[in-house]
Amino acid sequence: AQSVAQPEDQVNVAEGNPLTVKCTYSVSGNPYLFWYVQYPNRGLQFLLKYITGDNLVKGSYGFEAEFNKSQTSFHLKKPSALVSDSALYFCAVRDGGTYKYIFGTGTRLKVLA
Amino acid sequence: EPEVTQTPSHQVTQMGQEVILRCVPISNHLYFYWYRQILGQKVEFLVSFYNNEISEKSEIFDDQFSVERPDGSNFTLKIRSTKLEDSAMYFCASQPLGDDYTFGSGTRLTVV
């Protein structure tokens, strides 16, 4: 069965510092991996995805994610955090057969001024 | 950019009442989904819908839930007799053939 794990409930980082939000996955077959962000009382906004190709994927708002097949990880990164990046971040894997998304439990990112 | 529209944004209902959550998917999309997020928790799959029928449903999607696409544009989720534990954010999503989802902004359902 497909699954994703986000081991950190919350990540705190100072503004201007690099940030990493961790995600590991378990899939049978090729992974289709996604990151979404949710601001308070808002919907899910797509950040980036990995389907195939380069292991470093660039997305919206300066975010990027690194696909690591040997470590089965897809960590979200940003070189310099902004206070406005504070939000709830979800990693997801798509079931290749049904297109159903399986989401991680979410990581709350808090960027401190 | 095309959007998936969900109405209402927030609905409060009495326990035991029926509620219908509405979604207008993107017009040329073929696959439709409902997901649920209990406050601050993970987003969970409820149901997928294609070609006017349910293609997959989760354990959460019991007999109290139903979906339909009554007029070729709207996609609705009905909860027949709401329970307190149905309080959640409900997200609709639509998908064209061979591409990714677009999520709506969600409906917050509060059952009192």
Side-chain angles (χ1 to χ4, degrees):
Chain A
Q2 328 269 30
S3 66
V4 291
Q6 293 182 245
E8 303 153 318
D9 289 336
Q10 181 158 320
V11 169
N12 294 329
V13 64
E15 187 175 32
N17 282 3
L19 69 88
T20 298
V21 182
K22 295 180 181 176
C23 173
T24 58
Y25 65 89
S26 173
V27 301
S28 52
N30 293 323
Y32 293 75
L33 296 160
F34 301 81
W35 277 102
Y36 283 84
V37 60
Q38 184 181 32
Y39 295 98
N41 299 313
R42 303 289 296 276
L44 296 167
Q45 293 183 37
F46 171 80
L47 277 180
L48 51 80
K49 67 179 178 183
Y50 174 84
I51 304 295
T52 187
D54 288 342
N55 290 342
L56 187 64
V57 178
K58 294 192 183 296
S60 307
Y61 313 120
F63 284 92
E64 57 191 27
E66 187 169 9
F67 172 69
N68 187 316
K69 188 173 183 178
S70 62
Q71 296 185 6
T72 62
S73 67
F74 188 57
H75 300 332
L76 182 71
K77 299 172 188 274
K78 187 173 182 182
S80 178
L82 300 171
V83 171
S84 57
D85 293 330
S86 299
L88 188 56
Y89 290 80
F90 289 99
C91 181
V93 63
R94 191 179 82 188
D95 184 309
T98 67
Y99 291 96
K100 178 175 71 179
Y101 281 31
I102 294 103
F103 284 85
T105 49
T107 298
R108 189 165 301 282
L109 174 68
K110 190 174 277 191
V111 181
L112 307 167
Chain B
E1 189 169 328
E3 291 184 341
V4 174
T5 305
Q6 290 187 243
T7 55
S9 58
H10 189 191
Q11 180 151 0
V12 181
T13 189
Q14 296 256 338
M15 191 168 56
Q17 294 295 306
E18 176 183 284
V19 66
I20 297 176
L21 308 183
R22 302 182 192 280
C23 170
V24 179
I26 295 172
S27 62
N28 63 341
H29 286 193
L30 300 175
Y31 301 87
F32 312 104
Y33 305 84
W34 283 100
Y35 284 76
R36 181 179 83 173
Q37 182 189 28
I38 294 175
L39 188 61
Q41 298 184 26
K42 71 186 295 183
V43 179
E44 300 172 293
F45 169 77
L46 288 178
V47 66
S48 57
F49 191 85
Y50 170 70
N51 202 25
N52 283 321
E53 60 183 27
I54 291 173
S55 42
E56 186 177 358
K57 60 183 181 179
S58 72
E59 294 173 352
I60 303 167
F61 195 89
D62 62 21
D63 291 345
Q64 292 299 311
F65 291 87
S66 62
V67 289
E68 63 175 3
R69 194 161 151 77
D71 55 12
S73 61
N74 290 288
F75 178 52
T76 61
L77 174 69
K78 183 194 287 186
I79 309 174
R80 287 190 183 83
S81 179
T82 49
K83 303 188 282 285
L84 293 176
E85 54 264 38
D86 293 326
S87 295
M89 181 77 93
Y90 289 82
F91 292 105
C92 173
S94 70
Q95 179 192 16
L97 184 65
D99 208 338
D100 298 321
Y101 288 15
T102 301
F103 281 95
S105 56
T107 293
R108 181 172 298 285
L109 176 66
T110 302
V111 182
V112 296

